[in-house]
Amino acid sequence: MGHIVDLHCDTIMECMLKGQGLAGRPGHINLEKLAKAGSMAQCFALFTISNDMQDECNYHGEVYDIYNKMYETFAREMELNKDVIRQARSAEEILKNNAEGKLS
């Protein structure tokens, strides 16, 4: 598989805000582009939208609720795309996923 490890992207936020999935979505990152580029792991940032950013993002809510919605989006995408990508919580899991032909 690949050798690229990217430690930050805001794709999960975009998926949540735009109702998109990780597969086939427009933008800089989707599963097909990660595989084609030889990616091994992508770190999806789950960050909260500050009150002043909520108007800009056209998304309003309590900070903890926004985080939970992003995590639900992430967990759903991991489940829907488990044939392609698997969550990793350690370097060992990244290497195992890679050996099994999966993105992390």
Side-chain angles (χ1 to χ4, degrees):
M1 275 291 301
H3 294 88
I4 297 171
V5 176
D6 180 2
L7 296 177
H8 183 99
C9 76
D10 299 330
T11 301
I12 295 298
M13 170 70 78
E14 286 189 31
C15 288
M16 181 193 79
L17 292 173
K18 297 177 181 177
Q20 300 171 340
L22 287 174
R25 66 176 295 280
H28 294 108
I29 294 177
N30 66 36
L31 295 178
E32 296 79 11
K33 288 178 181 178
L34 289 171
K36 185 176 180 181
S39 182
M40 178 186 280
Q42 177 64 61
C43 183
F44 294 102
L46 301 185
F47 65 94
T48 57
I49 305 173
S50 63
N51 290 336
D52 58 329
M53 260 184 82
Q54 290 187 22
D55 285 336
E56 181 182 329
C57 293
N58 196 29
Y59 194 90
H60 297 86
E62 295 297 319
V63 172
Y64 188 65
D65 294 335
I66 294 169
Y67 164 78
N68 282 326
K69 179 78 172 166
M70 275 199 306
Y71 183 76
E72 289 170 11
T73 301
F74 173 77
R76 182 187 69 241
E77 289 305 310
M78 291 299 105
E79 179 61 29
L80 287 173
N81 298 289
K82 62 185 173 189
D83 58 323
V84 177
I85 191 167
R86 190 181 304 148
Q87 185 176 6
R89 294 178 178 95
S90 67
E92 291 79 19
E93 288 181 353
I94 291 172
L95 294 172
K96 179 179 184 252
N97 290 346
N98 192 58
E100 294 176 5
K102 306 268 192 255
L103 296 166
S104 292

